[in-house]
Amino acid sequence: MLLPMMKIQIVGSKEKLDATLRAMQRLGSVQIQDVAAHGQAQVLPKLSLDANALQRRDQINPLVARLGSFAAILPPGIKAPELSRAYEAVSLKSTEELVAEAQRVVGEIGPKSQALALRGDELQAEQASLTRYQATLRKVAPLAAEIPRLAGYETAALLIERRSAAVLDLVRQKLSEIIGDNFELSARHVDEQTTAAIVVFPTEQSARVNALFGRENITPLRLPQELAGASLTDTLATMAQRLAEIPRDIARVEDELRQLAASWGSSVTVLRAALSDRSAQMEIVGMAGGTRYTFVLVGWMPRRDLGDLKEALQRQAGLEVLVGEIKVGREEMKQVPVALANLPPVRPFEFLVALVALPRYGALDPTPLMALFMPLFFGLILGDIAHGLLLLLCAVVVLRLCRNQTYRRLAQVMVLCGFWSLLFGFLFGEFLGALGRQLFDLKPLWMERSGATIKSLFAFALALGAAHVLLGFALGIWEALRVKARKVLSERLGKFIALIAVFWLVAVVAGTLPRDLTTPGIATLIVGIALLSIPMGWLGGILGPIETLGLISNVLSYLRLAAIGLSSFYLAEVANRLYGVATNVAVGAIVAGLLHALNLAIGIVSATIQSLRLHYVEFFSKFYESGGAPFRPFKQSGV
Amino acid sequence: MDINTGLLAIGAGLAVGLAALATGWAQGRIGSAGAGALTEKPELFGSILIMLALPETLVILGFAVAAMIILLLKAGG
């Protein structure tokens, strides 16, 4: 459901503005609107920050950025409750005190933490670079061992793709042209893809030889600066030694960072949050209106929080600050921010609704319906005991271990989806396809998803689709009645009647209803088409019947609930039969296991996407009024 | 199995196969445009998902026709 909102105006003595903003930020239940957007700017000048406040803001913003960069390096050393208490204590300080303390902290830890972070980055870069060089040099090393070291001679190592090894003949020929016979080129295939070559030539010819490599687009192996000039064997030994040292150096750096974090991490986090909040308060001042002695703030808030706001303001700012409600006009209804407030089991589905767009304020919130139908559709598609159990298990593990809110919400959705998959698994008698029937004689409680009962499965999917689409139309009709939109009402009512008439006629053709009902069925269809055609004007005669065909395709679209489930069942069957035909039991089990895992992965992804799609395209289009702006209250940034 | 049955089976295969090809072609074009749009406006994910899923109705309708043909075959056979 959508939280009932109200527009408020807060008026008070200017001296109490800071206390008011602090109380509102702490409560976190009001979204401030720019007073100019409210339409009072003509009579009420906007407030602006004085010179001192502007100077403080210019100090705060860079400090927040610097503290943010430290916070990325230094995690807070204490747990969340202690951090909150520390934040409460710090937030009582004046802005000047906060700025001074932040400057002191930045001065104390800035150089050391940055130096440590830089050293850590350098060590990791060196480790990556040396590992790369080591792999390359190992390929060339056997070749280099064959070539004696000569004073006055330089060595260049080349690595060439094996299929292009013929280029070495060209290099040999060009070298002969440039420096005669005074060089040695030795090459060897070092692996399936690479040919290594070593060229030894007089040092005085270095420039000409390197120019030749440049012309022929050959890149000799370049060693790091500090290793240049050493022999390949020495270089490899030095690299191995350095690679053994680097992890110890990295551990030392991390240890020092941990010590720094233990001493300063919490201060950095708390000060950053407190200063961010002060900065946000200053931004809000720019949105307020006022006179010489008073200020006026305009905003939106949930109606249920009004009492709390009045109490908080009275406690912190006294009786010189008043809160009043502003009547919201019809035009302004489009600007009302939207906050969803559903029961805990439904709440995880709110983000799935918001993926398309939030509902417009005053419109119907489809979240509870989505929480009911989406897992049902998912379960009908996946419908397997083993898959349902695995999904439930994974979701429970994520809920236990993960703190990330997005993953937790997804896991909560998947708990319901897993439950329905398990339930449909029992109804269809499926455990990894038909394996359950073979292993422990699992019997379907309702019907098998194969063989003769497949027609019933299709009929069930279509019936579910028809019910879903008709429910969408019923909600749409109710919405149109509520806002007194006659044309929309006529269109939705027409579609609703036409769809019922189509099913009526199908039932007559199938022999479920008596043939005598054909004429009333056709008459109902004509009434429906006529009603839905009215808003289309003269085009209605053509578009009305086309729209009716569209309705049929809307319902047929629900066939996917059966079709995708069937493909999942048959993929499981392929896995089971592969195990049966494999000569080696272990290989058969591995292949079948991999196929079942693939089937589960495809099943989860496609069942989610298809269930969402049926809601977004087939269901929401019948009633959903989107376009609401999210409610963004002015609140503390939090630690 | 007589030739009529074989032809009906081929028809069922074509109904779902050609519809799947058409869906794939349409989804390929929408997907590439959608991926481009997402890099600039990630908030459009939901709308693009809807557009990407729209052509799937084609293959579902193809599947419906194929299923009807197969059921017809079974009823006849």
Side-chain angles (χ1 to χ4, degrees):
Chain A
M1 89 179 203
L2 301 186
L3 215 51
M5 304 293 281
M6 63 185 290
K7 190 170 188 181
I8 55 159
Q9 180 170 256
I10 303 171
V11 184
S13 162
K14 224 171 180 177
E15 288 171 5
K16 299 291 181 183
L17 179 58
D18 283 347
T20 304
L21 289 176
R22 228 168 281 177
M24 285 168 66
Q25 195 175 34
R26 183 178 286 261
L27 193 65
S29 63
V30 182
Q31 176 176 327
I32 304 290
Q33 186 184 18
D34 196 315
V35 77
H38 173 57
Q40 293 192 347
Q42 294 89 345
V43 288
L44 203 65
K46 281 182 73 173
L47 288 186
S48 53
L49 295 172
D50 59 27
N52 281 341
L54 282 171
Q55 192 189 353
R56 278 202 303 275
R57 191 183 67 181
D58 291 345
Q59 283 176 319
I60 287 175
N61 290 342
L63 276 172
V64 169
R66 289 208 70 184
L67 289 170
S69 65
F70 297 148
I73 308 168
L74 309 171
I78 56 176
K79 288 186 177 158
E82 296 170 54
L83 211 57
S84 291
R85 276 197 290 277
Y87 171 81
E88 289 295 323
V90 164
S91 64
L92 295 174
K93 293 183 178 177
S94 71
T95 308
E96 287 79 5
E97 286 172 324
L98 282 178
V99 168
E101 194 168 339
Q103 282 171 335
R104 186 179 66 80
V105 169
V106 167
E108 290 263 358
I109 62 167
K112 190 170 183 190
S113 66
Q114 279 173 340
L116 282 172
L118 188 67
R119 179 74 188 129
D121 288 347
E122 282 173 356
L123 284 168
Q124 276 173 354
E126 188 183 357
Q127 191 177 34
S129 155
L130 286 180
T131 309
R132 216 169 42 244
Y133 277 120
Q134 195 182 38
T136 312
L137 283 182
R138 276 194 182 136
K139 290 181 181 173
V140 185
L143 201 60
E146 296 168 5
I147 295 175
R149 296 198 67 190
L150 299 169
Y153 279 79
E154 195 174 311
T155 308
L158 310 174
L159 282 179
I160 293 162
E161 277 187 45
R162 196 162 167 172
R163 61 179 179 191
S164 310
V167 79
L168 288 173
D169 294 334
L170 186 70
V171 171
R172 191 174 275 119
Q173 184 191 335
K174 293 274 183 187
L175 281 171
S176 301
E177 288 169 15
I178 297 170
I179 53 178
D181 292 337
N182 198 11
F183 74 93
E184 182 63 45
L185 191 155
S186 177
R188 179 197 277 189
H189 298 310
V190 288
D191 60 34
E192 284 179 6
Q193 273 117 31
T194 320
T195 298
I198 294 270
V199 186
V200 183
F201 50 90
T203 308
E204 66 264 22
Q205 299 288 353
S206 177
R208 297 177 74 186
V209 173
N210 280 316
L212 168 71
F213 289 153
R215 272 201 306 280
E216 297 303 326
N217 213 12
I218 294 168
T219 311
L221 192 62
R222 305 250 177 240
L223 288 175
Q225 194 71 36
E226 60 276 14
L227 296 176
S231 74
L232 276 176
T233 319
D234 293 347
T235 303
L236 273 170
T238 314
M239 277 182 178
Q241 190 189 349
R242 187 71 196 116
L243 278 170
E245 287 168 3
I246 287 176
R248 286 198 293 274
D249 291 351
I250 290 177
R252 261 198 297 276
V253 168
E254 283 172 352
D255 199 37
E256 283 188 57
L257 275 171
R258 263 195 297 277
Q259 284 172 16
L260 207 60
S263 315
W264 295 96
S266 57
S267 300
V268 166
T269 309
V270 164
L271 277 170
R272 181 181 168 226
L275 282 172
S276 295
D277 290 347
R278 294 296 158 90
S279 175
Q281 287 172 18
M282 290 177 177
E283 296 298 325
I284 293 294
V285 173
M287 298 166 84
T291 62
R292 194 167 169 187
Y293 299 108
T294 60
F295 73 86
V296 176
L297 285 165
V298 175
W300 300 96
M301 70 176 299
R303 187 170 288 280
R304 66 175 187 195
D305 295 338
L306 181 64
D308 292 345
L309 178 70
K310 282 184 174 172
E311 194 189 317
L313 287 178
Q314 198 174 349
R315 203 172 48 243
Q316 291 190 36
L319 295 169
E320 294 157 65
V321 178
L322 297 170
V323 184
E325 182 174 359
I326 303 176
K327 201 162 182 274
V328 181
R330 180 173 278 200
E331 273 306 300
E332 238 181 337
M333 285 299 279
K334 289 178 190 164
Q335 294 175 20
V336 184
V338 172
L340 302 177
N342 288 294
L343 294 170
V346 176
R347 216 169 286 154
F349 291 84
E350 287 176 355
F351 92 101
L352 293 176
V353 172
L355 263 183
V356 185
L358 279 173
R360 188 173 46 75
Y361 185 72
L364 196 85
D365 175 18
T367 316
L369 290 168
M370 197 167 190
L372 175 68
F373 283 106
M374 191 258 174
L376 172 72
F377 291 171
F378 185 102
L380 179 57
I381 293 174
L382 204 60
D384 190 290
I385 298 170
H387 290 179
L389 281 174
L390 274 171
L391 195 57
L392 271 174
L393 186 71
C394 293
V396 169
V397 168
V398 171
L399 284 174
R400 286 257 163 157
L401 302 179
C402 185
R403 295 279 140 241
N404 182 301
Q405 283 306 312
T406 308
Y407 292 139
R408 288 183 67 80
R409 279 197 300 252
L410 263 177
Q412 284 162 342
V413 170
M414 284 303 141
V415 166
L416 286 173
C417 292
F419 166 76
W420 279 103
S421 305
L422 190 64
L423 185 69
F424 274 106
F426 279 111
L427 291 175
F428 296 143
E430 284 181 30
F431 183 96
L432 297 178
L435 193 64
R437 287 172 218 164
Q438 294 156 18
L439 289 185
F440 33 83
D441 197 26
L442 183 68
K443 294 267 189 272
L445 295 178
W446 181 24
M447 65 174 162
E448 287 181 12
R449 277 202 294 189
S450 58
T453 49
I454 214 163
K455 225 154 99 179
S456 309
L457 182 67
F458 290 166
F460 177 68
L462 286 177
L464 200 57
H468 202 223
V469 170
L470 285 173
L471 174 66
F473 276 127
L475 293 171
I477 291 166
W478 182 75
E479 277 282 285
L481 275 172
R482 204 174 53 82
V483 297
K484 296 185 180 104
R486 283 186 195 166
K487 286 186 175 177
V488 179
L489 175 66
S490 170
E491 185 195 333
R492 287 176 182 170
L493 191 62
K495 285 181 176 174
F496 185 78
I497 293 172
L499 193 57
I500 289 177
V502 167
F503 282 107
W504 181 339
L505 291 172
V506 169
V508 170
V509 171
T512 319
L513 286 178
R515 284 209 170 268
D516 299 348
L517 289 177
T518 309
T519 312
I522 292 171
T524 313
L525 182 64
I526 291 169
V527 169
I529 293 175
L531 270 174
L532 78 90
S533 305
I534 290 171
M536 300 173 194
W538 63 273
L539 272 174
I542 304 165
L543 293 180
I546 296 174
E547 285 280 329
T548 312
L549 285 176
L551 292 177
I552 298 169
S553 89
N554 275 172
V555 175
L556 281 180
S557 186
Y558 285 79
L559 261 183
R560 73 189 65 221
L561 293 174
I564 294 163
L566 269 184
S567 64
S568 173
F569 172 80
Y570 282 110
L571 191 52
E573 272 309 283
V574 170
N576 295 339
R577 287 185 191 185
L578 270 179
Y579 175 73
V581 297
T583 46
N584 185 321
V585 177
V587 173
I590 289 169
V591 171
L594 285 174
L595 256 180
H596 277 302
L598 178 72
N599 191 19
L600 177 64
I602 294 174
I604 291 173
V605 172
S606 64
T608 310
I609 299 271
Q610 301 303 336
S611 311
L612 287 177
R613 179 238 194 261
L614 287 174
H615 279 84
Y616 294 157
V617 182
E618 257 69 55
F619 188 51
F620 282 11
S621 60
K622 310 297 178 280
F623 68 96
Y624 189 52
E625 304 279 346
S626 63
F631 175 57
R632 297 189 199 284
F634 169 53
K635 60 180 184 181
Q636 291 177 338
S637 52
V639 281
Chain B
M1 184 187 283
D2 61 16
I3 189 143
N4 286 340
T5 312
L7 285 173
L8 278 170
I10 290 172
L14 282 176
V16 77
L18 290 176
L21 272 179
T23 299
W25 180 76
Q27 282 194 324
R29 299 196 66 168
I30 297 168
S32 64
L38 271 183
T39 54
E40 289 190 15
K41 288 194 171 180
E43 66 273 16
L44 289 179
F45 177 79
S47 311
I48 289 168
L49 182 67
I50 291 175
M51 283 189 262
L52 194 62
L54 279 176
E56 276 172 11
T57 306
L58 285 177
V59 73
I60 297 295
L61 293 177
F63 171 79
V65 172
M68 279 174 69
I69 295 173
I70 297 292
L71 291 173
L72 194 75
L73 269 178
K74 285 195 171 175

